[in-house]
Amino acid sequence: LALYFHIGEREEKCIIEDIPSDTLVVGNYKVQRWDLHTRDFLESAPGLGMFVTVTSPTGEVLLSKLYGPQGTFTFTSYLSGEHIICFQSNSTRFAVTAGSKLRIHLDIRVGEHFLDESAIQAKDKVNEVNIRLEHLIEQIHHVTREQEYEREREEKFRKTSEETNSNILWWAIVQTLILISVGIWQIKSLRDFFISKKLV
């Protein structure tokens, strides 16, 4: 996932990522500050840091740390579901004067284990094959976890659909019975009325 978004200097912005359990997440970001003179975003925002907070689906804080104007954060998900990743600058200016607009470039990689190419080159060919094999095994495990998570979501969605369909069916049956009962009651009431008036 690669994107950028704008926030105010003292504003908090959150994004939601649906992540499988036991998955490594690596995020890279860079902050740019709006410059009134050039009327453009500066290449960087020196002196400005970012608080990065990551919350699990149960509300547990997995990460809460202050980084610089650009940085890398990592965390591992323990539960499947929607994780909330929030960004807020460490600006201490008053809200009235903190009118700068910030642009945050964000790149989030889910389940990736990066190879250290320099470490690979320093080892002999056998070790290189082993390291690459371990990396492939990690990637296979990640794909398997992703598939299991998608199956869980599909099963949950199917159960919800079946329950909804069942509820709709029972509601339709109840409505039909009510309509039949009301119809029978109306016919009986009319018949009694006609008999009492000696019209029948």
Side-chain angles (χ1 to χ4, degrees):
L1 171 68
L3 55 90
Y4 74 85
F5 52 87
H6 295 143
I7 63 171
E9 197 167 327
R10 293 177 60 86
E11 180 185 356
E12 184 181 48
K13 187 86 168 187
C14 298
I15 62 169
I16 297 173
E17 272 292 306
D18 206 353
I19 303 169
S21 62
D22 194 27
T23 301
L24 175 69
V25 179
V26 180
N28 292 293
Y29 74 89
K30 181 176 76 170
V31 182
Q32 295 177 299
R33 179 185 264 150
W34 178 257
D35 184 47
L36 290 173
H37 302 297
T38 61
R39 303 203 57 80
D40 196 5
F41 286 97
L42 298 174
E43 188 55 33
S44 65
L48 193 67
M50 292 298 292
F51 286 106
V52 180
T53 307
V54 179
T55 309
S56 74
T58 60
E60 178 189 356
V61 177
L62 301 178
L63 173 71
S64 182
K65 190 174 177 182
L66 176 63
Y67 295 87
Q70 66 181 67
T72 300
F73 60 91
T74 60
F75 67 93
T76 301
S77 62
Y78 297 103
L79 294 170
S80 302
E82 294 181 342
H83 290 67
I84 302 172
I85 305 170
C86 296
F87 297 86
Q88 186 175 28
S89 76
N90 67 339
S91 173
T92 56
R93 298 201 292 171
F94 293 113
V96 177
T97 58
S100 292
K101 186 165 57 171
L102 303 176
R103 175 184 284 173
I104 299 178
H105 297 265
L106 178 62
D107 182 21
I108 294 179
R109 297 172 190 265
V110 178
E112 292 202 12
H113 296 262
F114 301 104
L115 287 171
D116 186 352
E117 295 294 337
S118 60
I120 291 174
Q121 290 171 2
K123 306 220 181 247
D124 57 26
K125 290 291 179 185
V126 175
N127 285 341
E128 178 183 346
V129 170
N130 283 337
I131 290 169
R132 291 195 181 275
L133 188 60
E134 286 172 7
H135 181 256
L136 282 173
I137 290 170
E138 279 293 329
Q139 293 294 81
I140 290 168
H141 286 321
H142 170 65
V143 170
T144 304
R145 284 194 298 270
E146 283 275 358
Q147 288 176 335
E148 287 172 358
Y149 181 49
E150 289 301 321
R151 276 195 292 271
E152 287 173 13
R153 291 181 63 188
E154 185 179 343
E155 179 71 18
K156 186 177 178 182
F157 179 75
R158 188 180 62 77
K159 284 181 180 176
T160 304
S161 297
E162 287 176 357
E163 287 173 6
T164 304
N165 289 338
S166 175
N167 290 339
I168 289 171
L169 176 64
W170 281 110
W171 178 240
I173 290 171
V174 168
Q175 281 184 318
T176 304
L177 290 174
I178 289 171
L179 285 172
I180 291 171
S181 301
V182 169
I184 292 171
W185 178 78
Q186 285 181 332
I187 290 170
K188 186 177 181 306
S189 298
L190 281 172
R191 185 171 168 274
D192 292 344
F193 173 77
F194 289 142
I195 290 173
S196 66
K197 296 294 182 180
K198 297 182 180 177
L199 296 173
V200 177

